[in-house]
Amino acid sequence: MKVDEVIKKVNNDLNPVKEKEIKRTPSFEHYYTENPTSELTVKELVLILRNGHKYLFKAPSGVYGKKRIDRASILLIEKVELTNEKVLDMGCGYGVIGISLKREFPDIDLYMSDVNNRAVDFSKINAKNNNVNAVIKQGNLFKPWEDDYFDVIVSNPPIVAGKEVLYELIEESYHHLNENGKIYLVAYHNKGGKALESYMEQIFGNVKELEKSGGFRVYLSIKRG
C-alpha cells in the first residue's frame, strides 16, 4: 500500500470516532501505543551515516522519531558489526535501525517488530522503498516470535515504558538468542540506561559498554554456552 493510501485509510478510520475520543483521549500518546488515535501525517527524513551512505525514511506521527532520526539510533547503527546473522530489530518504530543494518550488511536475515500498528505499516513501506527484504510483524515484545531464535537482537528501547517492560525485554532476549548470540541496546546512561546495563549483567553474566556519545551508551551482552 502506498503512503498516501495509508494516510487516507487511517484518517478515515479515525474520523467516525473522533468526537467520542476527543473527550477521553489524553493530550499525548506514548509512541508504544498499539493503535494511535492521532491524525496521521508523514514527514520524510534523511539518514546520512559516517561512511557517507544515505537512506530515506517516511516518518509517521504517533511513532517515535517523527521530527528527526534520533542520535541514539544512529549511534547503535554505526556500532553494530554483522556478517550473515539472523537479526531481530525489537521495537523497530518505522524501521530506521533494522533497515539501515540490512543495507549496510546485506547478507543478514532481518526480522522486525513493534507493538505500534502504525510503526509496522511504515516499516513495511520504508523496507520496500529502501529495497530491503524483512519479516515484519506487529506485537508486544516477543509475542510475534514465540517459536523463533536469533543470533543478534538490537533495540533502542522506550525508557518511558518503565523498568518492568525493559527488564522483560532483556530476560526474553536471553531466551530467544542462540548460543553466543548478542544483544545490543542503546540508551541514555543517566536516564535509565545505567539500570539496563546492570540488569544485562545480571541476566547474561556479562555486559560491555561499546560506545558513548552525548550521554548515550551502546551496551552489548553475549549469551555464553
Side-chain angles (χ1 to χ4, degrees):
M1 189 176 289
K2 296 180 179 178
V3 173
D4 55 349
E5 293 173 342
V6 173
I7 294 173
K8 184 176 180 180
K9 180 181 184 302
V10 169
N11 288 337
N12 283 345
D13 289 345
L14 290 175
N15 283 337
V17 296
K18 197 164 186 179
E19 289 188 4
K20 294 180 181 179
E21 292 291 328
I22 197 168
K23 293 181 180 179
R24 56 191 180 88
T25 298
S27 58
F28 69 95
E29 289 180 312
H30 287 299
Y31 46 86
Y32 52 87
T33 299
E34 183 174 356
N35 296 296
T37 60
S38 59
E39 181 180 359
L40 175 56
T41 59
V42 178
K43 183 176 182 180
E44 187 166 276
L45 301 178
V46 180
L47 171 64
I48 302 176
L49 299 178
R50 284 181 296 189
N51 59 15
H53 294 174
K54 179 179 177 181
Y55 306 118
L56 301 179
F57 294 91
K58 302 291 186 182
S61 55
V63 177
Y64 183 68
K66 157 68 177 176
K67 294 182 179 180
R68 65 185 64 84
I69 297 173
D70 67 293
R71 178 58 191 156
S73 293
I74 298 171
L75 193 67
L76 181 59
I77 293 165
E78 294 183 328
K79 198 60 187 176
V80 173
E81 291 289 337
L82 302 169
T83 52
N84 60 350
E85 296 94 339
K86 182 178 180 181
V87 179
L88 172 63
D89 179 4
M90 171 59 69
C92 62
Y94 52 84
V96 172
I97 295 172
I99 291 169
S100 299
L101 289 175
K102 177 65 174 177
R103 290 297 304 271
E104 294 295 304
F105 305 97
D107 290 334
I108 68 172
D109 292 322
L110 177 61
Y111 297 76
M112 302 163 61
S113 64
D114 201 288
V115 69
N116 186 319
N117 279 309
R118 194 175 291 182
V120 171
D121 286 342
F122 277 83
S123 284
K124 293 177 180 178
I125 289 170
N126 286 321
K128 182 178 180 180
N129 289 348
N130 284 280
N131 297 313
V132 161
N133 290 321
V135 178
I136 306 172
K137 296 184 179 182
Q138 187 276 330
N140 186 44
L141 295 178
F142 284 89
K143 286 184 180 179
W145 314 110
E146 291 181 350
D147 299 318
D148 291 285
Y149 298 88
F150 304 92
D151 300 309
V152 177
I153 295 172
V154 297
S155 185
N156 178 6
I159 296 296
V160 293
K163 284 185 179 181
E164 183 177 341
V165 172
L166 302 179
Y167 285 0
E168 183 178 355
L169 166 62
I170 294 170
E171 292 168 9
E172 290 300 308
S173 291
Y174 183 87
H175 295 300
H176 284 270
L177 280 170
N178 293 318
E179 186 174 341
N180 295 316
K182 300 176 180 179
I183 178 173
Y184 294 85
L185 295 185
V186 62
Y188 199 99
H189 190 68
N190 292 329
K191 293 184 179 180
K194 188 174 182 180
L196 293 186
E197 181 183 27
S198 297
Y199 202 64
M200 290 170 72
E201 171 73 41
Q202 180 180 331
I203 297 300
F204 284 83
N206 64 87
V207 66
K208 183 177 181 180
E209 197 174 277
L210 290 183
E211 186 66 75
K212 57 182 179 180
S213 176
F216 293 103
R217 303 285 192 277
V218 176
Y219 311 110
L220 166 67
S221 288
I222 301 173
K223 183 177 180 178
R224 303 296 188 188

